[in-house]
């Protein structure tokens, strides 16, 4: 009987053993492939982190990314080779093992990953084209600034072939991304186990394709912006304001100097640096220039407004609209491609990058200027030149011209590997509102706003921007410090009560060469830009207070501050936001968001703390600190110098 059953058993066992071997080999192969897939995923994450922290100072800043891309390529090639080598086994394994979804997912991940890799390599090549523009900086000239009698010409930062290559690269990247997304859409996502390693890899890489797709749209828009800004289609003319933050204004400072800059095919063909009083006075000698509402309620020179005082609002696009109206009225310029405001913080960063410069124009000037003394040297020569060298009023600021020449010359002689630091200085200045940009092209301005560089006053549920405007015109902002302490109580109805103490401290003494000015008191018109619908509770200590004005979707409260040398004064201001402008609920938790925007050119110290309603406690806070919760339930969200806009957040639970 046994002998009769043996053949039958053998017929049954052989297929089972065969299936077992297939399953075993398939499992081994699957685990091996999964290991390489996870390794490739880790390399992608490493690459992403490297992009966030890479050093522009390297001679070839993009070169370190290549080994990581090569490592990813090695893993993907291995997996792809194994799939081809064991194609029949894998096909059988899909039918006799529980790994069908995982194996199919791995196949599509490889295809999508290959496209992601191709897109990354193409993006690196495109980025290198853009960085190569720094190679031409040494021969980049600014006619009218470097040499008045012999305008120079130099190399363009970019040319048409480079722009065409960038456009071609973006098109190729777009093709890779679309194909990669098509591969990802074939993944049997619903058949994967939740939170399994392969599922996490899929989720991560899917997010990368989505991010890359969004970034590609922005890059295409940005390339069109570059063409218009650099004047490839028609000459591009920009107004450049040089602001003096020692005489603070809402967009950085008194605009004592300006320049009109014209670009044609990425070369500067015209640049004229001028005292802003010259066009202002030419018109004011014939007729008054009225300050626009609502600033005519408090600005003292309401019938003698000009380009020098154009910045009366911290909303930069609104300021530019006033600028264009003034330039047309004064006959300086017609339509502008854009406007740029340079605040001292940006110049300071440039001088830190370049090192000290020698301002030489014998017999008038011969001295070293650096990041610590350039503002003081400008003021010194403005006062000294006017009194001692018989220069007329409009010529007394020519030291700025020589300083600009010296800084430009120093930057152009920097080693090639240090030139990208200039770009980093510009990016930092944009974040810190020491460099303000406006472009008349709507799509271009939309891109700037999206990057957070538009200088707009944002409309948020709860927000704060404190802006000062110097009215005395005596550079006292250099010796006056300001501290803003805001204690916020969150109320049960969702509103927020702010109690602010604003402290001004006249700590220093103006230099001797500035003592000829009659007004040594610090006189500032201070404004609080608050959430729409906020209700004032009390304010005290101010010399004069005006009513509320609605602007930019905010409530604006203005008040006058005066301070004598050596004096320290505290002012109080409290208000309550509308219900639900403070706290919002989400499930069993609630949260509070506060946007604090920096006034360009200002140097205010902020202390911000929040106390939740009774019976609610703070579970998490997002600010520049991670402090313990105080005994009264409050927490400090920020304590320091406000260098850029803040987005603060508090999570609360019962």
């Amino acid at each position: 009987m046994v002998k009769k059953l043996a053949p039958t058993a053998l017929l049954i066992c052989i297929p089972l053993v065969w299936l077992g071997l297939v399953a075993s080999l398939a499992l081994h192969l699957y685990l091996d492939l999964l290991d390489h897939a996870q390794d490739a995923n880790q390399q992608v994450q490493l690459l992403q982190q490297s992009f966030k922290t890479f050093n522009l100072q390297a001679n070839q800043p993009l070169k370190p990314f290549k080994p990581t891309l090569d490592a990813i390529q090695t893993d993907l090639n291995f997996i792809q080779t194994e799939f081809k080598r064991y194609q029949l086994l894998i096909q059988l394994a899909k039918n006799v093992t529980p790994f069908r979804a995982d194996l199919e997912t791995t196949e599509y991940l490889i295809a999508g990953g290959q496209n992601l890799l191709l897109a990354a390599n193409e993006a690196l090549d495109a980025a290198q084209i853009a960085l190569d523009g720094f190679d031409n900086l040494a021969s980049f000239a600014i006619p009218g600034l470097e040499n008045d009698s012999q305008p120079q010409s130099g190399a363009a930062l970019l040319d048409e072939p480079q722009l065409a290559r960038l456009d071609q690269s973006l098109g190729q990247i777009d093709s890779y991304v679309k194909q990669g997304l098509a591969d990802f859409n074939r993944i049997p996502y619903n058949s994967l186990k939740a939170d399994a390693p392969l599922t996490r890899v899929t989720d991560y890489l899917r997010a990368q394709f989505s991010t890359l797709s969004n970034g590609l749209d922005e890059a295409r828009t940005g390339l069109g912006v570059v063409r218009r800004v650099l004047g490839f289609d028609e000459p591009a003319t920009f107004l450049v304001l040089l602001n003096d933050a020692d005489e603070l204004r809402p967009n950085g400072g008194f605009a004592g100097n300006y320049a009109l800059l014209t670009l044609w095919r990425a070369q500067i063909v015209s640049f004229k640096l001028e005292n802003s009083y010259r066009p202002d006075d030419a018109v004011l000698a014939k007729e008054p220039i009225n300050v626009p509402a609502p600033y005519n309620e408090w600005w003292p020179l309401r019938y003698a407004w000009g380009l020098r005082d154009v910045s009366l609002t911290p909303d930069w696009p609104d300021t530019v609209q006033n600028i264009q109206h003034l330039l047309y009225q004064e006959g300086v310029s017609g339509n502008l491609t854009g406007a740029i405001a340079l605040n001292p913080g940006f110049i300071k960063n440039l001088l830190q990058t370049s090192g000290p410069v020698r301002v030489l124009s014998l017999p008038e000037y011969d001295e070293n200027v650096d990041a610590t003394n350039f503002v003081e040297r400008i003021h010194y020569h403005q006062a000294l030149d006017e009194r001692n060298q018989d220069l007329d009023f409009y010529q007394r600021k020519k030291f700025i011209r020589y300083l600009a020449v010296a800084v430009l010359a120093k930057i152009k002689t920097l080693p090639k590997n240090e030139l990208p630091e200039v770009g980093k200085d510009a990016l930092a200045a944009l974040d810190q509102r020491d460099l303000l940009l406006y472009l008349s092209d709507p799509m271009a301005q939309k891109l700037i706003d999206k990057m957070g560089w538009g200088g707009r006053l944002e409309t948020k549920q709860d927000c704060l921007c404190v802006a000062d405007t110097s009215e005395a015109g005596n550079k006292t902002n250099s010796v006056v410090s300001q501290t803003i302490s805001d204690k916020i109580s969150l109320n049960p109805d969702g509103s927020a009560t702010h109690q602010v103490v604003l402290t001004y401290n006249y700590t220093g003494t103006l230099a001797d060469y500035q003592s000829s000015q009659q007004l040594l008191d610090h006189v500032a018109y201070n404004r609080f830009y608050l959430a729409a619908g906020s209700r004032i509770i009390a304010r005290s200590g101010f010399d004069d207070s005006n009513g509320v004005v609605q602007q930019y979707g905010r409530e604006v409260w203005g008040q006058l501050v005066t301070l004598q040398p050596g004096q320290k004064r505290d002012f109080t201001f409290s208000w309550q936001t509308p219900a639900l402008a403070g706290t919002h609920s989400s499930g069993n938790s609630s949260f509070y968001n506060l946007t604090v925007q920096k006034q360009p050119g200002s140097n205010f110290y902020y202390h911000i703390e929040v106390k939740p309603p009774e019976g609610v406690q703070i579970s998490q806070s997002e600010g520049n600190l991670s402090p313990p919760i105080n005994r009264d339930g409050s927490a400090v969200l920020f304590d320091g110098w406000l260098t850029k806009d803040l987005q603060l957040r508090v999570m609360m639970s019962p």
Side-chain angles (χ1 to χ4, degrees):
M1 182 69 178
V2 174
K3 291 182 178 179
K4 292 181 179 180
L5 291 175
T8 303
L10 190 61
L11 289 174
I12 296 174
C13 289
I14 287 176
L16 290 176
V17 171
W18 170 248
L19 289 175
L21 289 172
V22 170
S24 176
L25 287 171
L27 177 61
H28 176 76
L29 177 61
Y30 162 69
L31 293 175
D32 197 20
L33 295 179
L34 182 60
D35 180 64
H36 280 270
Q38 288 177 321
D39 183 60
N41 179 57
Q42 291 174 359
Q43 293 290 344
V44 171
Q45 294 186 39
L46 175 64
L47 182 67
Q48 187 181 53
Q49 185 62 33
S50 298
F51 267 112
K52 294 179 180 179
T53 59
F54 80 100
N55 185 6
L56 278 172
Q57 289 182 326
N59 286 328
Q60 294 177 295
L62 300 179
K63 188 176 180 180
F65 298 133
K66 290 294 185 181
T68 305
L69 290 174
D70 291 342
I72 299 172
Q73 184 73 68
T74 299
D75 284 313
L76 295 184
N77 286 343
F78 173 84
I79 299 172
Q80 198 169 50
T81 300
E82 292 298 284
F83 264 91
K84 291 180 180 179
R85 180 181 178 186
Y86 296 104
Q87 186 175 10
L88 293 177
L89 177 61
I90 290 173
Q91 190 62 39
L92 184 61
K94 289 180 182 179
N95 297 316
V96 301
T97 70
F99 305 120
R100 182 184 186 90
D102 289 352
L103 288 169
E104 288 183 348
T105 297
T106 303
E107 283 185 287
Y108 298 137
L109 278 175
I110 297 307
Q114 293 282 17
N115 281 290
L116 180 62
L117 193 66
L118 291 170
N121 272 300
E122 190 69 33
L124 285 181
D125 291 340
Q128 190 61 57
I129 293 173
L131 286 177
D132 286 344
F134 283 105
D135 292 346
N136 296 329
L137 189 60
S139 58
F140 192 66
I142 301 183
L145 179 61
E146 294 178 320
N147 188 316
D148 289 334
S149 59
Q150 296 293 328
Q152 300 178 18
S153 61
L157 292 179
L158 287 173
D159 55 28
E160 281 283 7
Q162 288 173 312
L163 284 176
R165 177 70 179 90
L166 285 172
D167 187 57
Q168 181 183 2
S169 291
L170 291 176
Q172 189 63 62
I173 294 170
D174 184 54
S175 176
Y176 291 143
V177 170
K178 287 178 179 177
Q179 183 58 51
L181 285 173
D183 293 326
F184 269 83
N185 289 335
R186 297 172 66 189
I187 291 175
Y189 193 77
N190 293 332
S191 300
L192 297 177
K193 294 180 180 180
D195 203 37
L198 193 59
T199 307
R200 292 196 294 271
V201 170
T202 302
D203 288 339
Y204 178 80
L205 292 180
R206 187 192 298 270
Q208 303 317 304
F209 268 107
S210 177
T211 300
L212 185 58
S213 182
N214 293 335
L216 190 60
D217 291 338
E218 293 181 3
R220 282 194 171 280
T221 302
L223 187 60
V225 170
V226 168
R227 286 196 63 89
R228 291 187 289 275
V229 167
L230 295 182
F232 276 94
D233 301 318
E234 61 181 7
T237 299
F238 296 84
L239 175 80
V240 182
L241 292 180
L242 280 68
N243 292 331
D244 183 356
D246 283 353
E247 188 177 333
L248 192 60
R249 299 292 162 81
N251 267 303
F254 171 75
N257 297 273
Y258 77 94
L260 286 175
L261 179 152
T262 301
L263 287 162
W264 173 241
R265 296 188 176 275
Q267 288 184 290
I268 297 178
V269 296
S270 174
F271 185 91
K272 184 179 181 182
L273 185 64
E274 184 63 88
N275 187 325
S276 58
Y277 276 90
R278 189 183 294 274
D280 291 345
D281 290 350
V283 175
L284 289 172
K286 302 174 183 177
E287 59 182 347
I289 303 179
N290 298 326
V291 176
Y295 317 114
N296 54 11
E297 295 294 326
W298 55 268
W299 181 245
L301 303 175
R302 63 186 62 182
Y303 304 116
W305 192 45
L307 188 60
R308 58 185 181 266
D309 298 320
V310 71
S311 177
L312 296 179
T313 166
D315 188 84
W316 173 239
D318 195 15
T319 296
V320 176
Q321 298 305 313
N322 290 328
I323 287 173
Q324 297 205 61
H325 178 74
L326 273 172
L327 292 180
Y328 179 79
Q329 188 173 357
E330 295 182 345
V332 174
S333 177
N335 294 330
L336 295 174
T337 305
I340 304 169
L342 302 180
N343 293 322
F346 180 38
I347 310 301
K348 178 179 180 180
N349 290 344
L350 287 179
L351 285 169
Q352 287 174 336
T353 296
S354 69
V357 298
R358 187 183 181 191
V359 181
L360 178 65
S361 179
L362 298 176
E364 301 155 294
Y365 311 117
D366 185 5
E367 60 178 289
N368 290 324
V369 178
D370 58 29
T372 64
N373 71 354
F374 77 97
V375 173
E376 186 273 337
R377 290 289 85 190
I378 289 173
H379 292 163
Y380 171 82
H381 285 290
Q382 285 180 182
L384 196 66
D385 287 355
E386 184 180 12
R387 288 187 295 168
N388 296 351
Q389 295 191 26
D390 296 325
L391 296 176
D392 68 34
F393 182 76
Y394 303 118
Q395 292 179 308
R396 68 192 181 99
K397 296 183 179 181
K398 66 177 183 176
F399 180 78
I400 296 177
R401 186 185 192 88
Y402 293 113
L403 176 60
V405 171
V407 173
L408 178 65
K410 186 66 176 287
I411 289 174
K412 289 169 63 174
T413 58
L414 288 175
K416 178 182 175 182
N417 63 321
E418 294 182 15
L419 286 175
E421 285 298 307
V422 177
K424 291 178 68 174
D425 290 336
L427 292 176
L430 287 166
D431 286 336
Q432 297 166 7
R433 295 199 171 197
D434 284 325
L435 175 60
L436 301 175
L437 298 178
Y438 177 86
L439 297 175
S440 58
D441 181 88
M443 290 190 64
Q445 185 60 32
K446 184 178 179 180
L447 183 62
I448 290 175
D449 289 339
K450 188 173 183 179
M451 300 294 290
W453 299 336
R456 293 186 186 273
L457 272 180
E458 299 181 24
T459 301
K460 299 288 185 178
Q461 289 165 328
D462 198 8
C463 48
L464 175 63
C465 177
V466 180
D468 265 11
T469 304
S470 172
E471 290 196 349
N474 52 15
K475 315 299 181 186
T476 50
N477 282 106
S478 62
V479 291
V480 172
S481 63
Q482 290 116 316
T483 301
I484 300 169
S485 175
D486 186 4
K487 294 185 177 181
I488 307 167
S489 298
L490 303 180
N491 305 316
D493 66 351
S495 64
T497 300
H498 293 253
Q499 294 181 314
V500 170
V501 177
L502 180 64
T503 302
Y504 286 76
N505 193 1
Y506 200 141
T507 56
T509 303
L510 289 172
D512 291 339
Y513 54 81
Q514 292 179 304
S515 62
S516 60
Q517 302 188 50
Q518 298 300 310
L519 295 175
L520 292 180
D521 287 354
H522 180 71
V523 183
Y525 190 75
N526 170 277
R527 281 171 293 170
F528 278 66
Y529 290 80
L530 313 175
S534 294
R535 176 180 60 86
I536 190 170
I537 298 174
R539 54 179 171 174
S540 63
F542 297 103
D543 297 282
D544 186 26
S545 298
N546 292 334
V548 65
V549 174
Q550 283 78 32
Q551 267 191 306
Y552 319 116
R554 291 193 180 200
E555 309 292 334
V556 186
W557 294 85
Q559 43 272 323
L560 188 67
V561 173
T562 61
L563 215 64
Q564 296 177 346
Q567 188 178 21
K568 180 180 180 181
R569 294 184 65 184
D570 289 336
F571 308 90
T572 61
F573 194 171
S574 58
W575 69 92
Q576 184 173 331
T577 71
L580 301 180
T583 306
H584 297 263
S585 298
S586 176
N588 294 326
S589 300
S590 57
F591 59 90
Y592 168 71
N593 293 326
L594 175 66
T595 299
V596 184
Q597 291 191 264
K598 180 194 175 187
Q599 174 186 359
S602 66
N603 194 24
F604 297 169
Y605 193 97
Y606 272 77
H607 176 90
I608 302 173
E609 58 183 84
V610 175
K611 183 178 180 181
E614 196 72 30
V616 178
Q617 61 182 1
I618 295 175
S619 57
Q620 184 181 354
S621 63
E622 298 176 11
N624 75 323
L625 301 173
S626 298
I629 307 303
N630 300 325
R631 288 187 177 182
D632 64 353
S634 65
V636 176
L637 294 185
F638 185 83
D639 188 80
W641 300 104
L642 187 65
T643 59
K644 59 183 180 179
D645 291 356
L646 292 177
Q647 302 291 336
L648 305 178
R649 182 180 179 90
V650 172
M651 299 292 294
M652 294 167 287
S653 59

